[in-house]
Amino acid sequence: MKVRLMLNLFMVSMLLCACSFGENPKEHMGEIYTIALDSIMEKDMALNSDMEFIAIDMSNFEEISKKQKEEILNFFNAKYKVNVMDATFEELKEKGYYNPDTLALDGVLLRIEKVDFKFNHNVFFEGSKYRSGKGAIGVEITVHYKDRDWKIKESKNTWIS
């Protein structure tokens, strides 16, 4: 009986150890968020036309540090050559970035509404890109770890306004 119990404990511990090998997504969340957000930026490029800024709503980015948030902002600033800020829609309205006459922003607002850690080093995101009530998209993105790098596995539009 003791031998059987010891064998079972050994098997369970081996399975648990085998499942933990590889990269832990929570240790790379800045990079993973950057990849997911950039995937959203590359959708519906018409929303990017004449944009004066990119706002990223990081109010619910609980898994990442202040330094990682700054790295995300710096990435977008360098790539898109516009002012990039951490702001919610309400903050953009307060700062005058929302035009009440056109009911639109002079830039785009990126949001991540849901993050889900899946098995096999996959991170699932639901996000959106907003320019106006008639110019916005919803996106589902899966980022996964493959060949020692975090990459987009899938990115698809879920709604368009």
Side-chain angles (χ1 to χ4, degrees):
M1 184 72 171
K2 284 186 178 184
V3 172
R4 180 181 276 175
L5 179 61
M6 292 300 284
L7 281 173
N8 284 339
L9 286 172
F10 177 75
M11 292 295 287
V12 168
S13 66
M14 290 302 292
L15 285 171
L16 290 174
C17 287
C19 292
S20 67
F21 290 148
E23 292 294 318
N24 180 357
K26 293 188 178 185
E27 294 175 3
H28 301 271
M29 288 310 294
E31 177 184 359
I32 294 169
Y33 268 88
T34 299
I35 292 166
L37 289 163
D38 196 38
S39 172
I40 296 172
M41 269 305 290
E42 293 175 1
K43 298 277 188 186
D44 198 345
M45 296 298 282
L47 297 177
N48 299 356
S49 66
D50 299 324
M51 69 179 172
E52 296 176 12
F53 66 86
I54 298 172
I56 303 172
D57 181 349
M58 297 187 188
S59 62
N60 63 347
F61 288 18
E62 299 166 3
E63 304 89 3
I64 65 173
S65 67
K66 184 176 180 179
K67 181 181 178 192
Q68 290 171 319
K69 288 180 181 181
E70 289 173 13
E71 289 171 358
I72 292 169
L73 296 173
N74 289 337
F75 169 86
F76 281 89
N77 185 279
K79 182 171 181 177
Y80 293 98
K81 309 288 189 233
V82 296
N83 183 28
V84 181
M85 65 189 94
D86 174 5
T88 65
F89 182 73
E90 292 76 22
E91 291 169 337
L92 292 172
K93 285 174 75 173
E94 288 173 10
K95 293 177 182 179
Y97 288 107
Y98 179 76
N99 185 332
D101 296 330
T102 63
L103 303 175
L105 296 172
D106 295 324
V108 296
L109 171 63
L110 303 178
R111 294 206 59 214
I112 298 289
E113 286 90 21
K114 180 180 177 183
V115 180
D116 192 11
F117 297 92
K118 303 286 186 178
F119 294 109
N120 300 326
H121 306 300
N122 288 319
V123 184
F124 173 80
F125 293 91
E126 287 182 18
S128 62
K129 179 179 181 181
Y130 178 90
R131 184 78 185 245
S132 71
K134 293 184 179 181
I137 58 169
V139 183
E140 289 181 347
I141 304 138
T142 302
V143 177
H144 72 135
Y145 188 74
K146 185 176 180 181
D147 300 329
R148 298 182 177 215
D149 203 10
W150 292 99
K151 302 174 183 177
I152 295 293
K153 181 177 184 179
E154 184 178 10
S155 178
K156 63 180 182 180
N157 290 0
T158 55
W159 56 265
I160 297 176
S161 69

